[in-house]
Amino acid sequence: MKLGRLLSSLALAVFTVDAALISPGNSKVSLKRREAIAKQIEGVLKRDGYEHINKRSEELAPASIEAPKTNIWAELSTDEVDGVYSLIKNKFNLTDFSEATLFDNYAVWITAINPNKTDALEYLEGDKTAPQRYARAVIFFGGEDFAKQSEPHGYWQTYQVGPLPATEDTEVVEMNWAFTKSSFSYAQGYRDSNRWALEDSFYEVLFQTDQVKAFAEDIIGVLSYGLDDSPMQIGATDPLVYDPKTKSLFSWGTVFLDNKWSAGDILPTGLFIKTNITGRDSSKFEVVQWVYNNIAYNSTEAFYDAWNSNDFEKLPQVSLNQSWTNPSRRNDSGTRPLDDRTSPIVIEPEGRRWQYNEEERYFTWMDWSFYTSYSRDGGVLFFNIKFKGERILYELSLQEAIADYAGDDPFQVHTAYLDTSYGWGNNAYGLIPGYDCPANAVYFNSSWNAEGTNNFQNNTYCAYESMEDYPITRHTSRRYVSVTKAATFNIRFVATIGNYDYNYNYKFFTDGTMKVSVRAAGFIQGAYYNPDTGDSFGYKIHDVLSGSFHDHILNFKADFDIAGTKNRVTNTALKPATYVYSWAPDTEYNTKVKERSVFQTETSLNLEDVGNLLVESADQTNKWGNPKAYRVYGTLGRRIAERSSKLAENANWANNDIHFTKQKDTEYTSSGVFNANSVFEPQVNFNNFLDDENIDGEDVVCWFNLALHHLPTTQDVPGTIFTTADSEIVMTPYNYFDSEQSRDTRQQFLYLVNDGGEPSTDFFGTELQSMQYDIEKIDVSSFNFNGIKEGKDMTNMPSL
Ligand SMILES: *[C@@H]1O[C@H](CO)[C@@H](O)[C@H](O)[C@H]1NC(C)=O
Ligand SMILES: *[C@@H]1O[C@H](CO)[C@@H](O)[C@H](O)[C@H]1NC(C)=O
Ligand SMILES: *[C@@H]1O[C@H](CO)[C@@H](O)[C@H](O)[C@H]1NC(C)=O
Ligand SMILES: *[C@@H]1O[C@H](CO)[C@@H](O)[C@H](O)[C@H]1NC(C)=O
Ligand SMILES: *[C@@H]1O[C@H](CO)[C@@H](O)[C@H](O)[C@H]1NC(C)=O
Ligand SMILES: *[C@@H]1O[C@H](CO)[C@@H](O)[C@H](O)[C@H]1NC(C)=O
Ligand SMILES: *[C@@H]1O[C@H](CO)[C@@H](O)[C@H](O)[C@H]1NC(C)=O
Ligand SMILES: *[C@@H]1O[C@H](CO)[C@@H](O)[C@H](O)[C@H]1NC(C)=O
Ligand SMILES: [Cu+2]
C-alpha cells in the first residue's frame, strides 16, 4: 500500500513545478510543492447538478425524520475544536501547524472521545441528560519548554480535554485510560507531514550528489530524483526501524517511477536504500546500505565503485511505453457488442423508502435504525443499530487494517502498514454518483481536524436502497407461487490510502441480517521481479514486475447487545457421529449432530475451528426455548506470517480471525495511530484485552477481521479489482425471533389457486406501474477536483 504517502505524490512528472520551491533542508518545502501541484490540477475536472439524476427520487423523498435522541457520538463541531485548540495553545505554547517545525510544539489532531457506554445507555434508555462531551488532543512536543531529558528529539502526548465547550478552567489530562501507552518518542512516534518532508528533503539532496546521480541515472535510465522533470519517486517503509541498542532510527527506501497515471507502485526499479534517519536534522541523515540485484553495499562509495567496475550487472528496467499502467479505458481493443449502451441503473419508481436526519445523522429503513458518526481514524462509525425496536449492536466500527508484505527485497520484507495511522476518514474523497454508489444514493459530508486544519469533505459516504439480484425467498407449490424481493439498505465509504482504494459497505436486509464487506482496488505495491529469488513471493506479472504477496487484515469492533447486555458466546459444533437408535438396535448409523458449548472466558478463535458461532442472550429465549442469538460468519481471517520485528505487539488482533472480550470502556479501540511505528510498545496492545475474564452472562464485544491474502496475478494489472479482492462478515438472527422476519414486507408476489381452481395474483399494493423515468443527464460542469491531498474542503461537487 501506500509507499511513503507524501513522497509518492511529489514527483508528478506531468505537471511542472517551480524549481524555486525546492530548497532542501526546509521541512515545509515539499508541502508547498504539493500545494503547487494541486493548484495546477485544479479546474481540470468540473461537475455539478447531479441532483438531476436524483430529481424524481428527491421530489418524492419522505420528510426528514426526527432523531429520538441527540447523536452523542458526533464528531466535534468547528466551534468545539477551536475552543479546545485555544485552550491547549496557551497551555502548551503551541505553534500553529502551518508555521511549526519539528522544534516547536504543535497539535496534530483534535477529535471527539466517544462517551462511555454506561453513560450513553443511561441517556438512550432513561431520562438522563446527554453525557458531557470530551475531546482528544494529540500534541507533538518539539520545543524546549516541555522537553523531557529522556526524549532528546521530542515526543507525542495524547490528552483528554473536557467537558466541552472548553474554557480556561477545562481539565486537560493525559489520556491514559483508553491506551496501553499515551506518550511516544519521536523515533517511534507518528510520521506526520513534517517528518515525511524531512525524509524527502534528504533524498532530494542525496540523489543530486555526484555519485548517486551518476549511478541512479545510469541504472534506472531517467533523470535523478529532485529535478522537476524526474519521474523517480521514493517510497519508504512502515514501520520505522528502531534499534534500541544504538538508539538509532532507520528507514528502507526504494525508487519507483512515477508516470502520468501515478502508477509508481507498479513501476519498481530494484534499487533499495537503507538510511539512518535518527533525529530531526536531515543533514545528519546517512545512507548505511544500498541493495541492488540481491547484493548489499555498505556505503554509497562502495556501490559507486562496484557500478564503475567492469563486472557490474545492470538489471533490465521497465520500458518507457507504460500505456499498460493506464487504469482507465484502453482504446486499443475495440468495443464489446452493445457496450455502447449505458448499463442498468437503480431507480426508485415511487420515491425513496428511507428517512434520515441530516443534523443527527440518524437513519431509518424498514424497521432498522442507527446513528452514524465519522472520524479521521475510523471513517464512518455506527452506533445504536436497532432492528424492530431492539438494539442489536451498540457500536460497529472499523478499527485498523494491516497490509503485511513478503518478498525477496528489503523494501517488501520491512513493510507492514497500519492504515489507521494514515487515517480512513481523512482519506475518503468525494464519491462519484452513479459509479461509486448507485444513481439513487444520497451523499453525506464530514469534517475532522488534523494538522491544525478543520477539514471538510463533501460526499464522503453515501446511503442508498438497492436490490439484490436474487429474491430473499420463494416457493412454488401445487397451489401457489410466492416470491419476495430482497431490498437492502446500504452505507458506503471509500478510502484511498496511497495506492489502494478500500470500499467499505454496510448492508442491511429486511430479515435482520447485516453484512459488512471490504473490497480493494487501485494499484498493488509491486516488487521488482528477480527471476533468481522472487518466485516464492509473487508471480511475474509484467516485464520487471512481481506482485508481492501480502495480507490485508482489517479489524472491526462489533459491540453486540443481544436482547440487552447480558450476553454469552457459544459454538454449535457440527460433528459426525455414529448413532444406534432404539428403533433399530442392531444398526449403526453414520450421521451428524450439533453440539453446543459455551465460552466461559474471553477468547480468540479461528473460524475453521468452530461451527456456528453465536452471540446469545444469556437470559432471554424465543418462544421455542432457544436463546435469542446472532450468528457471525464470513470470510474472516488472520495474518499468515508469525510475529516479527515489524509486527510484534502492535497488531495482536490479527493473530486470530475473531475475538470476544468483556465490554469495558477502557478497551476503547483495538489500535491507535501510534501503533504503526511503536511495534513493541504500542498505543494499544490488544493482547491486554484478552485476560481471561468471564464473558458468560456479560456484555460481550466481538472484534472480527475481514481478510484478504493477496497474492497478485495478472488480474491485478493494471489495477486490483473489487470483484475478487473482497471479504465479508455476515451477522444474522439465529433463533432471535420466533420466525423469519421479512414476512411482513409488501415487496412480494403471490399467485394463488383457490379451492375452486380460480387463480388470483397479489402484489400487496406494490405492483410496478409503467412510467417514464425522467432521469436527466449528469452535468459535470461544476465538478472540481484538486488532486488528492489532505486539506480543507479538498474535493468536489456540492453535497446533497
Ligand atoms: C514558545 O514556543 C516558541 C516557538 O517554538 C519558542 O520560540 C518559545 O521560546 C517558546 N516559549 C517558551 C516560554 O519557551
Ligand atoms: C470513561 O471511563 C474511563 C474509565 O472508567 C474514565 O477514565 C474516563 O474519564 C471516562 N470518559 C468519559 C468521557 O467520561
Ligand atoms: C545514526 O545517526 C546518528 C546521528 O545522526 C548517530 O549518532 C548514530 O550513531 C548512527 N547510528 C548508527 C548505527 O550508525
Ligand atoms: C557490510 O556490513 C555488514 C554488516 O553490517 C558486514 O557483515 C559486511 O562484511 C560488510 N561488507 C563489506 C563489503 O564491508
Ligand atoms: C505501447 O504498448 C502497447 C501495449 O501495451 C501497444 O499497444 C502500443 O502500441 C505501444 N505503443 C508504442 C508507441 O509502442
Ligand atoms: C487512444 O488514446 C490515446 C491517448 O489517450 C490517443 O493518443 C489515441 O489516439 C487513441 N486511439 C484511438 C484509436 O482512439
Ligand atoms: C454538510 O452538509 C449539510 C447539509 O448540506 C450542511 O448543513 C453542513 O454545513 C455541511 N457541513 C460541512 C462540514 O460542510
Ligand atoms: C460542498 O457542498 C456545499 C453545498 O452543500 C458547497 O457549497 C461547497 O462548495 C462544496 N464544496 C466543494 C469543495 O465543492
Ligand atoms: Cu493487496
Side-chain angles (χ1 to χ4, degrees):
M1 339 230 77
K2 67 250 54 158
L3 264 214
R5 298 311 138 202
L6 177 85
L7 305 185
S8 65
S9 57
L10 291 173
L12 281 173
V14 273
F15 304 102
T16 52
V17 174
D18 186 356
L21 287 174
I22 301 166
S23 75
N26 176 349
S27 66
K28 286 290 167 192
V29 160
S30 294
L31 287 180
K32 286 206 192 106
R33 200 169 147 196
R34 232 150 74 95
E35 278 160 20
I37 292 165
K39 269 225 166 59
Q40 287 167 2
I41 314 173
E42 204 167 349
V44 171
L45 287 164
K46 285 197 166 284
R47 185 193 182 280
D48 168 40
Y50 76 101
E51 63 258 41
H52 295 302
I53 199 164
N54 255 336
K55 196 167 131 195
R56 180 181 186 85
S57 161
E58 283 297 317
E59 277 168 3
L60 298 174
S64 163
I65 192 169
E66 196 82 20
K69 298 278 177 170
T70 303
N71 186 336
I72 52 178
W73 308 275
E75 189 43 286
L76 301 179
S77 68
T78 305
D79 287 345
E80 285 173 323
V81 170
D82 293 347
V84 169
Y85 184 65
S86 56
L87 174 66
I88 58 175
K89 182 179 166 137
N90 286 338
K91 194 172 169 71
F92 298 115
N93 184 30
L94 302 186
T95 302
D96 291 346
F97 192 88
S98 56
E99 304 297 324
T101 71
L102 290 164
F103 295 89
D104 302 311
N105 308 331
Y106 55 83
V108 193
W109 302 289
I110 299 173
T111 186
I113 300 175
N114 291 329
N116 284 327
K117 186 173 178 182
T118 351
D119 300 335
L121 291 189
E122 282 177 358
Y123 169 65
L124 294 174
E125 291 175 350
D127 44 18
K128 284 264 170 69
T129 53
Q132 288 181 306
R133 286 169 66 72
Y134 284 82
R136 175 162 62 104
V138 180
I139 295 172
F140 177 67
F141 289 100
E144 283 176 5
D145 38 354
F146 291 85
K148 287 186 192 168
Q149 199 115 56
S150 57
E151 305 290 6
H153 303 301
Y155 61 97
W156 277 269
Q157 175 65 51
T158 300
Y159 292 95
Q160 171 166 316
V161 183
L164 305 182
T167 65
E168 287 306 308
D169 307 321
T170 301
E171 228 184 350
V172 181
V173 293
E174 291 186 3
M175 185 172 172
N176 297 314
W177 61 269
F179 305 122
T180 314
K181 198 167 171 235
S182 74
S183 179
F184 292 88
S185 69
Y186 174 80
Q188 292 171 91
Y190 185 72
R191 236 167 172 174
D192 62 22
S193 59
N194 283 333
R195 277 182 92 166
W196 279 118
L198 196 67
E199 287 177 55
D200 186 45
S201 62
F202 169 75
Y203 289 121
E204 282 180 347
V205 173
L206 176 72
F207 276 74
Q208 290 305 313
T209 58
D210 293 343
Q211 291 185 337
V212 175
K213 189 171 189 307
F215 63 65
E217 291 189 348
D218 176 61
I219 289 169
I220 301 171
V222 298
L223 282 179
S224 195
Y225 188 62
L227 296 175
D228 288 351
D229 296 334
S230 171
M232 285 188 202
Q233 64 176 188
I234 313 252
T237 52
D238 279 3
L240 293 163
V241 182
Y242 182 68
D243 175 12
K245 271 190 242 121
T246 59
K247 292 193 162 60
S248 303
L249 186 67
F250 300 95
S251 171
W252 277 98
T254 191
V255 180
F256 286 90
L257 294 183
D258 201 2
N259 66 12
K260 64 176 167 176
W261 294 292
S262 306
D265 294 273
I266 53 171
L267 299 171
T269 65
L271 181 61
F272 309 98
I273 320 148
K274 185 181 184 182
T275 306
N276 178 347
I277 56 165
T278 306
R280 290 172 284 177
D281 179 354
S282 66
S283 72
K284 302 236 166 71
F285 291 2
E286 232 177 10
V287 173
V288 294
Q289 207 169 47
W290 291 88
V291 172
Y292 185 70
N293 198 10
N294 286 321
I295 304 166
Y297 303 90
N298 284 358
S299 66
T300 298
E301 287 69 31
F303 188 34
Y304 180 81
D305 291 345
W307 167 74
N308 252 336
S309 69
N310 290 332
D311 53 358
F312 185 78
E313 189 194 343
K314 267 204 281 178
L315 297 173
Q317 291 294 315
V318 70
S319 114
L320 289 180
N321 178 2
Q322 291 160 6
S323 62
W324 61 277
T325 68
N326 178 1
S328 181
R329 178 164 188 263
R330 279 171 50 174
N331 63 2
D332 58 2
S333 49
T335 289
R336 299 185 188 202
L338 300 179
D339 193 31
D340 52 346
R341 297 183 175 183
T342 303
S343 60
I345 64 173
V346 178
I347 290 161
E348 295 168 326
E350 298 183 67
R352 196 190 301 145
R353 304 191 328 135
W354 54 278
Q355 289 172 285
Y356 67 98
N357 183 292
E358 162 66 25
E359 195 117 321
E360 304 298 342
R361 297 292 162 97
Y362 174 71
F363 296 81
T364 61
W365 172 79
M366 300 293 139
D367 291 348
W368 283 99
S369 69
F370 54 81
Y371 293 83
T372 61
S373 182
Y374 195 87
S375 78
R376 180 245 171 236
D377 290 359
V380 181
L381 318 171
F382 293 77
F383 291 95
N384 210 30
I385 300 178
K386 288 181 163 187
F387 181 60
K388 303 241 176 205
E390 295 185 32
R391 183 170 57 249
I392 307 297
L393 286 158
Y394 171 74
E395 177 180 356
L396 176 61
S397 53
L398 171 62
Q399 304 286 302
E400 182 62 277
I402 57 168
D404 180 12
Y405 285 73
D408 60 351
D409 69 58
F411 190 80
Q412 306 295 338
V413 167
H414 285 91
T415 300
Y417 299 114
L418 270 69
D419 281 331
T420 294
S421 69
Y422 293 100
W424 299 103
N426 54 321
N427 281 308
Y429 303 93
L431 295 162
I432 306 298
Y435 290 83
D436 281 316
C437 308
N440 60 331
V442 176
Y443 295 81
F444 295 89
N445 59 10
S446 45
S447 61
W448 67 95
N449 175 278
E451 297 196 336
T453 309
N454 290 316
N455 299 286
F456 310 105
Q457 174 70 53
N458 287 337
N459 311 326
T460 43
Y461 62 108
C462 70
Y464 60 90
E465 187 179 20
S466 192
M467 295 305 298
E468 297 301 288
D469 57 4
Y470 58 90
I472 190 166
T473 185
R474 78 179 310 286
H475 188 58
T476 302
S477 84
R478 211 154 45 83
R479 290 165 167 273
Y480 63 88
V481 180
S482 163
V483 56
T484 308
K485 293 184 190 175
T488 63
F489 185 57
N490 299 266
I491 300 276
R492 168 170 300 162
F493 77 101
V494 176
T496 301
I497 303 195
N499 49 314
Y500 261 137
D501 300 64
Y502 293 91
N503 182 326
Y504 290 96
N505 203 73
Y506 297 79
K507 190 185 281 283
F508 301 83
F509 290 78
T510 49
D511 70 314
T513 298
M514 268 173 283
K515 294 187 181 182
V516 180
S517 64
V518 63
R519 297 183 169 88
F523 294 118
I524 57 166
Q525 174 179 302
Y528 185 87
Y529 178 74
N530 188 316
D532 299 332
T533 51
D535 284 335
S536 297
F537 306 105
Y539 297 102
K540 179 176 182 180
I541 52 178
H542 212 272
D543 298 338
V544 298
L545 177 65
S546 165
S548 54
F549 182 21
H550 57 279
D551 282 348
H552 299 274
I553 315 289
L554 304 99
N555 186 245
F556 290 77
K557 178 181 188 179
D559 181 351
F560 281 99
D561 286 351
I562 302 298
T565 52
K566 274 197 160 49
N567 291 170
R568 66 165 57 109
V569 181
T570 67
N571 175 34
T572 298
L574 309 172
K575 290 186 154 173
T578 302
Y579 250 65
V580 177
Y581 298 91
S582 59
W583 41 264
D586 301 330
T587 312
E588 284 194 341
Y589 287 87
N590 278 343
T591 181
K592 55 188 178 294
V593 294
K594 69 173 175 49
E595 199 177 274
R596 178 176 183 269
S597 57
V598 176
F599 294 98
Q600 296 296 338
T601 54
E602 294 178 320
T603 186
S604 300
L605 298 165
N606 297 331
L607 288 195
E608 71 262 25
D609 300 330
V610 294
N612 292 356
L613 191 56
L614 311 180
V615 182
E616 294 182 355
S617 168
D619 58 7
Q620 288 191 42
T621 60
N622 67 8
K623 191 169 157 189
W624 318 112
N626 295 305
K628 285 163 134 325
Y630 258 65
R631 180 185 168 202
V632 291
Y633 68 96
T635 52
L636 305 186
R638 58 193 180 275
R639 59 191 295 252
I640 295 174
E642 309 205 330
R643 196 182 124 97
S644 70
S645 59
K646 68 174 169 177
L647 279 175
E649 301 293 341
N650 54 337
N652 281 326
W653 50 265
N655 300 339
N656 296 90
D657 298 357
I658 192 165
H659 313 263
F660 295 94
T661 64
K662 179 179 163 175
Q663 190 281 335
K664 280 194 192 151
D665 291 332
T666 50
E667 294 174 0
Y668 182 72
T669 51
S670 65
S671 191
V673 284
F674 292 100
N675 274 47
N677 288 314
S678 199
V679 173
F680 291 95
E681 293 180 276
Q683 186 172 14
V684 180
N685 186 338
F686 185 74
N687 275 355
N688 294 350
F689 293 18
L690 297 159
D691 49 357
D692 287 330
E693 281 171 288
N694 174 53
I695 53 167
D696 185 356
E698 296 291 340
D699 189 356
V700 172
V701 178
C702 167
W703 310 82
F704 65 85
N705 297 332
L706 297 186
L708 171 64
H709 301 299
H710 196 177
L711 178 55
T713 67
T714 49
Q715 286 287 95
D716 296 271
V717 181
T720 299
I721 49 178
F722 287 143
T723 338
T724 49
D726 65 339
S727 178
E728 180 176 80
I729 188 170
V730 182
M731 301 179 245
T732 188
Y734 191 97
N735 292 324
Y736 187 103
F737 301 100
D738 299 335
S739 66
E740 191 272 304
Q741 292 299 297
S742 74
R743 296 306 75 224
D744 56 5
T745 170
R746 287 170 173 268
Q747 309 306 313
Q748 312 201 14
F749 170 78
L750 177 68
Y751 181 91
L752 183 65
V753 181
N754 69 13
D755 290 344
E758 297 294 316
S760 63
T761 56
D762 199 341
F763 290 93
F764 305 98
T766 59
E767 184 173 6
L768 185 60
Q769 304 297 321
S770 100
M771 59 177 80
Q772 289 268 312
Y773 301 114
D774 55 349
I775 295 161
E776 296 183 24
K777 189 170 153 266
I778 294 181
D779 176 355
V780 293
S781 64
S782 79
F783 191 107
N784 60 83
F785 177 67
N786 296 338
I788 281 194
K789 65 182 177 103
E790 284 187 43
K792 191 170 181 167
D793 220 1
M794 54 210 159
T795 11
N796 60 38
M797 56 217 160
S799 74
L800 245 197

